Amino acid sequence: LATTCVVEALLFAVAFAIPPGAMADGPLYILCACVGFGMAASYVLPDALLADIIDYDELHTGLRSEGLYTVVESNLQQYAEIVGGVVPSLVAYFAGFQSLGGCSCGCGAKCDADYLRWSCPADVGYACTDGFGATLLYGEPDRAAPCTVQPEGVQWSFRVFFLAVPAACYLLAAIPAWKLPISSHSHRAIVAQLRAREAA
């Protein structure tokens, strides 16, 4: 688990260091796949460790407390999700975030007319269809939809909260994971002692 946390921290730090738009699609997908595998491990392994900790606690107290441990784990996760959902949104709002970049439609929001790709105060994108890949009829055909553009402060807030903060959290999580006293060998000894106690 500690190794996974350190590798994840490095991957998030590398992603944070890469300037926006500087990475081609291929390497970006590879980086995302690597981060995904590590995140999956960091979601699965702690629950397995929690079961080992519950066995260790039973060895020392004589009581099974999985209900208490599960409630505490669930509450801590909920508190983290509340803070992790609200704080980045507030920071993005104060940095100038605008839903749809100030546009009335486009970028996933259906436009009223079939020929509109987007409708923004400074630009209107006309095409034969409203499909995402439809070629624009007027203006620069490869221009970015204005509804995807956010102020630089908003872009930085997203980069900090979605890349730098997870990197720091994974690094901090590596410390207790590294010092975790329960290994596969010690867990087998704990389970053997619990079975011996039950048999007595």
Side-chain angles (χ1 to χ4, degrees):
L1 182 61
T3 305
T4 301
C5 288
V6 170
V7 169
E8 283 296 292
L10 291 174
L11 288 171
F12 275 106
V14 165
F16 180 76
I18 298 171
M23 184 178 279
D25 286 346
L28 177 66
Y29 294 143
I30 292 170
L31 181 65
C32 289
C34 293
V35 167
F37 283 121
M39 288 183 74
S42 67
Y43 280 106
V44 171
L45 292 177
D47 283 333
L49 290 173
L50 182 63
D52 295 350
I53 291 167
I54 291 168
D55 290 340
Y56 181 78
D57 181 59
E58 181 186 5
L59 180 65
H60 287 281
T61 64
L63 302 171
R64 289 292 293 179
S65 301
E66 53 266 280
L68 175 67
Y69 279 101
T70 304
V71 167
V72 170
E73 178 196 27
S74 298
N75 286 341
L76 288 174
Q77 287 175 345
Q78 288 172 349
Y79 297 144
E81 289 169 3
I82 290 169
V83 172
V86 171
V87 173
S89 300
L90 288 173
V91 171
Y93 170 78
F94 287 116
F97 176 81
Q98 288 185 322
S99 181
L100 291 178
C103 302
S104 61
C105 68
C107 296
K110 180 89 170 130
C111 292
D112 293 334
D114 290 338
Y115 54 85
L116 277 177
R117 288 258 326 267
W118 62 76
S119 178
C120 305
D123 188 16
V124 177
Y126 292 101
C128 291
T129 68
D130 62 350
F132 184 72
T135 304
L136 295 171
L137 297 176
Y138 304 104
E140 179 61 40
D142 294 332
R143 70 185 186 274
C147 48
T148 62
V149 178
Q150 293 291 339
E152 192 168 335
V154 173
Q155 294 175 26
W156 269 103
S157 71
F158 287 159
R159 292 186 72 211
V160 166
F161 281 107
F162 292 104
L163 298 171
V165 170
C169 289
Y170 272 113
L171 262 175
L172 289 173
I175 297 168
W178 194 268
K179 295 183 176 195
L180 189 68
I182 300 177
S183 64
S184 59
H185 176 71
S186 62
H187 184 253
R188 281 194 296 272
I190 291 168
V191 171
Q193 291 177 37
L194 286 173
R195 287 181 180 158
R197 180 190 291 170
E198 288 173 5

